[in-house]
């Protein structure tokens, strides 16, 4: 599997260039990377970029990438999140092999390293509250103040830290802090917290621990213990690199991974903060973490995006150091490009209008041959049942049609795709004046859609045989938010910008009968409608539900241009 389209012809991004230079210089024999998610939520499209980068470098160099769970915050973590993350990474096409790790694997070693820092006079137990620590830390323009507990002896700190570990103190009463420099221009280095008391049961270690290491202390040492060569993270950790290096240098560890930062993935019309995604789920604004409107990986999977489309998208946006915003249309186009090549063409009528071919023999059913992909003959053909009664799209008929309307109207001839030329003769309406049926005639000599006399017909429409139609529910999805940057307004909640039209449910759709055999991995282009897949999360036998993955073109952009 490749992780980039035409990667051989592309210049290396700056991280891959660093890796290549390190290999060429002999600094490393092969790169070892890691993807270190916190198991406190589902992965989203931003994580996909990191997954493709870290695992991609490993694949490209015949090396390994570790999957390591940063499970140091037990109150917010669960095995369900662990399993969902493993499932998402595998689905994207990557494998960690034997290199599945957890920060909790190293709790004993991390505790020993903390003791070592205390013995060296490089860490101390502090009794300040969280609010006091923030107050003492200072600002970007003012240095911090030393904690009154900063100069405790190593013996007293060892005793207190041991008692913290034994559960003698309440949460929030004491922490272990690194002893660095309260006057540092980098606020991260102003005696950061290394351990805090959390009396929560851990999903792997149970109640063995009541103190847990902070991310910055855990991450660098976990990287070192796993002999990671290149520790790749997003730009918000750039200031933390100084602490990463300080811990490893101070402890004089046997190896020292290099932390490199890259720009995170920002996409408009969405939010990717785990806190905000969780809020959407908990408040019932979406159906769950896998809601197809969410840009979680599980949501994209349920929506019908393919792993290849997401990998191609990540390759397209690339890796850089400058923060920027990617238009949602780039992600949607990646889906279109992939689906256009591989999705089988089928007929689906989403808003059905019945037509009766009055001169077609009653009781007769023909088999019409249709191509599965007109641009790819290797995908073969299928047969469609054709009968006297058919469904067409209601939008394909206008009673009073303008001159440039080339579809069906009274007295106008159109082509039924792969079948016959038909002409509308009569419109049947109900008591409220709504059109309920069209009476048409067909030309038996035009089977296949061409007239022997050479007459030209501009309009071609799709159809489904009434007695053979598969009734289905179809869900049409749009962007979850109405504005480009839903969390940019500091005066309003991002929830204020939810799109009320982000989901439309069509309950009386008529599909060609072969779709009854659709499987969870199948993708289809409903001709003239968009790309669709079966929603396996809600399907029941005999009542299929199909999700629209993406429209045939960027209808959102065209709509906005029109406005």
């Amino acid at each position: 599997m490749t992780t980039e389209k035409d990667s051989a012809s592309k210049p290396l991004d700056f991280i891959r260039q660093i890796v290549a230079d390190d290999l060429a210089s002999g600094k490393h024999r092969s790169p070892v990377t890691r993807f270190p998610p916190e198991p406190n939520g589902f992965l989203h499209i931003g994580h996909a970029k990191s997954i493709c980068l870290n695992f991609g470098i490993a694949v490209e160099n015949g090396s390994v990438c570790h999957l390591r769970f940063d499970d140091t915050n037990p109150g917010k973590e669960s095995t369900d999140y662990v399993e969902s993350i493993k499932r998402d990474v595998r689905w994207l096409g990557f494998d960690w092999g034997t290199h599945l790790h957890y920060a909790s694997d190293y709790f004993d070693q991390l505790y020993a390293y903390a003791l070592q820092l205390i013995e060296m006079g490089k860490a101390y137990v502090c009794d300040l509250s969280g609010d006091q620590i923030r107050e003492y830390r200072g600002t970007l323009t003012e240095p911090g103040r030393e904690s009154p507990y900063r100069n405790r002896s190593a013996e007293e700190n060892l005793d207190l830290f041991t008692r913290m570990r034994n559960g003698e103190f309440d949460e929030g009463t004491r922490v272990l802090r690194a002893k660095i420099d309260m006057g540092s221009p980098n606020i991260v280095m102003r005696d950061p917290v290394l351990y805090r008391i959390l009396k929560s049961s851990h999903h792997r270690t149970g109640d063995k621990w009541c103190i847990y290491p902070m991310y910055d202390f855990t991450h660098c040492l976990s990287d070192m213990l796993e002999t990671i060569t290149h520790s790749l993270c997003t730009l918000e950790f750039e200031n933390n690199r100084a602490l990463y290096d300080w811990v490893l240098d101070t402890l004089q560890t046997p190896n020292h991974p290099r932390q490199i930062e890259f720009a995170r993935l920002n996409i408009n019309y969405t939010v990717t903060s785990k806190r905000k995604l969780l809020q959407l789920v908990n408040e019932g604004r979406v159906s769950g973490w896998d809601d197809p409107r969410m840009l979680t990986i599980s949501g994209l999977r349920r929506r019908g995006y393919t792993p290849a489309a997401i990998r191609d998208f990540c390759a397209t946006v690339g890796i850089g150091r400058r923060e920027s915003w990617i238009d949602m249309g780039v992600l949607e186009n990646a889906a279109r490009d992939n689906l256009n090549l591989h999705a089988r063409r089928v007929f689906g009528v989403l808003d059905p209008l019945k037509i009766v071919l009055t001169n077609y023999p009653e009781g007769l059913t023909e088999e019409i041959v249709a191509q599965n992909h007109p641009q790819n003959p290797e995908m073969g053909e299928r047969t469609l049942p054709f009968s006297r009664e058919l469904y067409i799209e209601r939008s394909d008929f206008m009673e009073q049609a303008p001159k440039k309307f080339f579809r069906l109207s009274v007295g106008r001839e159109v082509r039924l795709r792969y079948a016959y030329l038909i002409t509308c003769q009569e419109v049947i309406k109900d008591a409220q004046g709504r059109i309920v049926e069209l009476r048409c005639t067909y030309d038996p000599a035009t089977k296949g859609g061409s007239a022997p006399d050479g007459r030209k017909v501009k309009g071609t429409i799709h159809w489904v045989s009434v007695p053979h139609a598969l009734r289905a529910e179809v869900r049409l999805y749009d962007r979850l938010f109405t504005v480009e940057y839903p969390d940019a307004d500091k005066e309003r909640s991002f929830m204020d910008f939810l799109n009320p039209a982000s989901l439309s449910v069509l309950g009386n759709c008529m599909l060609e009968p072969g779709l009854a055999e659709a499987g969870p991995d199948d993708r289809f282009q409903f001709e003239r409608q968009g790309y669709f897949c079966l929603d396996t999360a809600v399907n029941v036998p005999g009542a299929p539900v199909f999700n629209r993955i993406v429209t045939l073109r960027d209808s959102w952009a065209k709509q906005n241009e029109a406005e």
Side-chain angles (χ1 to χ4, degrees), residues 32-34 64 66 68-69 71-72 98-114 116 195 213 215-231 244 247-248 251-258:
V32 180
T33 56
R34 85 289 169 270
V64 297
H66 297 192
R68 183 207 309 140
F69 289 95
D71 54 346
T72 59
T98 60
H99 299 285
L100 175 63
H101 305 287
Y102 298 82
S104 54
D105 293 339
Y106 313 123
F107 280 174
D108 287 301
Q109 290 156 288
L110 296 175
Y111 181 71
Y113 279 123
Q116 186 176 337
Y195 267 87
Y215 175 83
D216 284 324
F217 186 62
T218 306
H219 185 213
C220 57
L221 290 170
S222 299
D223 283 350
M224 181 275 298
L225 291 167
E226 294 174 19
T227 63
I228 301 300
T229 58
H230 301 84
S231 182
Y244 185 104
V247 171
L248 299 180
L251 290 168
Q252 297 184 340
T253 55
N255 62 80
H256 190 136
R258 178 180 178 182

Side-chain angles (χ1 to χ4, degrees), residues 257-523:
R258 178 180 178 182
Q259 177 176 306
I260 307 170
E261 305 85 22
F262 61 95
R264 63 180 295 170
L265 178 60
N266 300 304
I267 302 181
N268 58 14
Y269 294 103
T270 192
V271 295
T272 53
S273 158
K274 279 187 183 178
R275 178 181 59 81
K276 292 177 180 178
L277 294 175
L278 183 61
Q279 185 178 345
L280 287 167
V281 173
N282 288 344
E283 294 187 12
R285 304 300 186 96
V286 293
S287 61
W289 283 100
D290 67 344
D291 188 297
R293 293 167 292 180
M294 298 262 275
L295 291 196
T296 56
I297 295 177
S298 57
L300 290 165
R301 178 168 63 244
R302 181 177 166 192
R303 173 84 170 254
Y305 276 71
T306 63
I310 296 176
R311 294 195 303 265
D312 289 347
F313 166 73
C314 292
T316 297
V317 300
I319 302 296
R321 280 192 52 83
R322 179 178 297 177
E323 291 283 4
S324 61
W325 284 87
I326 305 299
D327 189 86
M328 180 76 79
V330 178
L331 176 61
E332 294 165 342
N333 281 332
R336 289 188 190 96
D337 290 345
N338 180 263
L339 293 165
N340 182 53
L341 294 175
H342 305 294
R344 202 176 81 192
R345 275 49 173 169
V346 296
F347 289 167
V349 177
L350 306 189
D351 185 10
L353 174 61
K354 182 179 175 181
I355 67 172
V356 178
L357 303 179
T358 56
N359 63 331
Y360 192 88
E362 294 189 28
L364 176 65
T365 299
E366 289 184 78
E367 288 190 345
I368 300 296
V369 177
Q371 296 174 297
N372 288 330
H373 196 307
Q375 288 79 46
N376 186 359
E378 293 182 0
M379 292 184 69
E381 299 174 334
R382 68 192 189 282
T383 57
L384 301 173
F386 185 90
S387 64
R388 176 184 171 90
E389 296 184 350
L390 307 170
Y391 291 119
I392 66 169
E393 284 292 341
R394 186 170 292 274
S395 61
D396 281 338
F397 175 79
M398 288 186 70
E399 191 172 11
Q400 303 295 328
K403 187 175 181 179
K404 292 188 177 182
F405 182 79
F406 298 121
R407 286 165 282 173
L408 193 60
S409 187
V410 177
R412 182 175 293 178
E413 190 173 46
V414 299
R415 177 183 296 103
L416 296 178
R417 186 152 168 79
Y418 298 121
Y420 295 97
L421 302 183
I422 67 168
T423 303
C424 179
Q425 308 292 345
E426 183 182 1
V427 178
I428 308 299
K429 299 180 181 180
D430 62 15
Q432 288 73 43
R434 177 178 167 82
I435 298 173
V436 294
E437 186 178 297
L438 303 177
R439 301 288 172 85
C440 304
T441 57
Y442 87 114
D443 183 348
T446 60
K447 188 172 185 178
S450 298
D453 62 8
R455 68 184 186 272
K456 302 296 182 183
V457 175
K458 290 186 176 181
T460 300
I461 62 177
H462 62 281
W463 52 273
V464 174
S465 170
V466 169
H468 305 92
L470 173 67
R471 185 185 299 271
E473 179 181 297
V474 171
R475 300 182 176 187
L476 307 180
Y477 295 99
D478 209 332
R479 299 175 188 184
L480 189 55
F481 295 95
T482 58
V483 297
E484 281 195 84
Y485 312 112
D487 55 0
D489 191 329
K490 303 306 179 185
E491 303 298 322
R492 300 175 64 183
S493 166
F494 73 102
M495 292 285 201
D496 294 337
F497 304 106
L498 284 169
N499 180 7
S502 61
L503 170 61
S504 299
V505 179
L506 309 180
N508 189 41
C509 302
M510 301 296 173
L511 313 181
E512 65 175 68
L515 286 168
E517 305 300 320
D521 296 325
D522 294 328
R523 304 290 183 271

